[in-house]
Amino acid sequence: MGLEVFQTYDPKRAAALADYYRYARESDLYLTYVIINPQADRSKSASQQQDRTLTAGVVDQDGEGLTIRGAKMLATGGIMANEVLVTCIQPLLEGDEPYAVSFAIPMNASGLKIMSRKSYEEHATSVFDNPLASRFDENDAILYFDDVKVPWDRVFVNQDIRMCQQQFHATPAHVLQNYQAQVRLMVKMRFLLGLAHRIAEANGIVNFPQVRETLGTLAAQGAMVDALVHAMEIKGQNRGSYFVPDTHTLYSAQVLTQKLYPDFISSLRELAGGGLIMLPSGVEDYADPMLKALIEKTQQSPATSAEGRVKLFKLAWDAIGSEFASRHTQYEMFYAGANFVTRNHSYRTCDWHSGTRMVDRLLDSYSLESELQAHKAVAA
């Protein structure tokens, strides 16, 4: 969708990108991506770090391609991916040219090392106890490039700081990658809303005025995300033969939802109360007749059976309290970047002129001189 930007930059790199796009499409590849540098000393750019090869960058190039050394993060689903797109979305400074690259390689490329975080799925051995973590974990990973050779036909940007940013912001890439993230969040919010209502029903508090107030607030927040997604679609525009969602509405949604999601999760915790931690230790407790009888006696609910209550609250814990849930909260807060990053995206894409024009028109409709003349006329 932004191939012309690459063609202006370098026809060879544009051809490589076009060929790779067709290859990825026809091979039905599952791609992960790494576009963030290791945190290290965040007051310094990649080239200013004590170890200049901490961040993945070019250490050599020849007729065959680039040699890459260093680390990138955060490869979500990396251990399951066929290939990885490697680039940098963070601002780069003069001197950071070796890190201003964009390329794609197979996950089994020689020299590529995968350092995955702990698998929540591996430790979630029971679907009953962990209905989400046991089936939906996306292992995030740091990738380390130990002198990985990238052939020229897989290189899309080569040591060009300006183009590294343009690939995201002069094309629809950044808008579309974050638009689908808001669609995902919209669906997730619907699920969590349903979970909130079921928790209130299970605890027999759904008709309490203060609980209805909480549920009403959650419903409004969910509707806001839903409305923003639909608004960015309705306000979108054609770009050539493609349709792109409205940019400013997208970034507005990111600014608001980065703060909204953890508050939303906190409200669910309040609704659930101690029920989240008074659960049986595991599904194996039901195999003991005495323990099963005690569970049925202590896990009571006006809306469901003891088993139904345990099942619901196990799901609630996995959605809002477990390690799996904590990763999701952290992800929703930071997947789009730090708060100041998304706020700056909102600032630069806002149509300030439509508002300031109204202000100026009103200010131009009167003057100090005319007011003084009118006051003099009345006094006379």
Side-chain angles (χ1 to χ4, degrees), residues 33-62:
Y33 66 92
V34 283
I35 58 177
I36 302 295
N37 298 335
Q39 289 184 333
D41 186 345
R42 299 190 68 181
S43 68
K44 298 178 180 179
S45 71
S47 62
Q48 296 168 342
Q49 298 294 328
Q50 185 174 2
D51 180 358
R52 290 175 61 88
T53 60
L54 168 66
T55 296
V58 178
V59 292
D60 188 30
Q61 76 173 59
D62 55 27

Side-chain angles (χ1 to χ4, degrees), residues 7 251 291 303:
Q7 289 168 339
Y251 292 134
L291 286 177

Side-chain angles (χ1 to χ4, degrees), residues 97-174:
E97 285 80 5
Y99 314 101
V101 291
S102 182
F103 60 88
I105 57 170
M107 286 296 291
N108 63 352
S110 178
L112 178 57
K113 295 176 171 57
I114 308 169
M115 293 173 285
S116 176
R117 63 158 168 79
K118 181 177 74 175
S119 170
Y120 307 138
E121 181 179 352
E122 182 182 10
H123 297 275
T125 56
S126 163
V127 176
F128 186 87
D129 290 325
N130 299 97
L132 300 177
S134 62
R135 295 182 290 181
F136 302 113
D137 190 18
E138 306 174 292
N139 285 60
D140 312 286
I142 293 177
L143 301 187
Y144 187 79
F145 299 81
D146 190 3
D147 288 359
V148 174
K149 193 72 175 185
V150 182
W152 284 117
D153 63 358
R154 292 299 194 91
V155 177
F156 316 132
V157 177
N158 181 26
Q159 303 180 76
D160 190 302
I161 291 174
R162 182 171 177 270
M163 187 57 197
C164 214
Q165 287 296 298
Q166 279 194 317
Q167 67 179 330
F168 289 107
H169 299 296
T171 75
H174 198 251

